Amino acid sequence: TLLTSTDGLSWRAARSGTGNLLLGVAHGAGRWVAVGARGTLLTSTDGQTWQALRSGTGEDLLGVAHGGGRWVAVGSGGAILTSTDGLNWHTVGLGMGNLLYGVAHGGGRWVAVGSGGTILTSP
């Protein structure tokens, strides 16, 4: 389910086009990106019309963020995906075994956090 609001008080459903569980969403550079189970990646420029994208992974994607001109998504199995436009995604990390719950960008650095106290950083 995707819900949208113009005021944060009244919400309405938008069609996601997927039956997969959605687990994270972020906005940046005029684009929304939602991530979810089994490598689900969706994008929208208006929050109402969503397009499915190829993620290149079947891992659950749990978090996504935008910063420094880049998108980063993280998830199970240590999945780390990046994109410069929010449309074309590339896998840069897989198989480290840890579940990565979230990712953020600030101060010129990316930080991903996960199970077992995992903290990953990247410029």
Side-chain angles (χ1 to χ4, degrees):
T1 300
L2 285 167
L3 300 173
T4 64
S5 175
T6 57
D7 62 8
L9 299 172
S10 300
W11 294 84
R12 66 180 190 170
R15 287 187 163 293
S16 68
T18 183
N20 291 342
L21 184 64
L22 298 175
L23 300 165
V25 65
H27 183 266
R31 176 172 307 283
W32 290 95
V33 173
V35 297
R38 296 186 283 281
T40 300
L41 262 172
L42 305 175
T43 187
S44 174
T45 55
D46 64 8
Q48 287 295 308
T49 305
W50 292 82
Q51 172 189 0
L53 303 172
R54 285 186 51 93
S55 68
T57 183
E59 299 288 346
D60 293 344
L61 298 175
L62 305 174
V64 62
H66 181 267
R70 179 175 307 276
W71 289 91
V72 176
V74 298
S76 62
I80 303 171
L81 287 73
T82 65
S83 173
T84 55
D85 60 9
L87 297 171
N88 301 292
W89 291 80
H90 308 280
T91 301
V92 296
L94 267 181
M96 63 180 249
N98 287 356
L99 182 64
L100 296 175
Y101 295 116
V103 62
H105 182 268
R109 182 163 302 279
W110 285 95
V111 178
V113 296
S115 63
T118 299
I119 300 173
L120 303 175
T121 65
S122 175

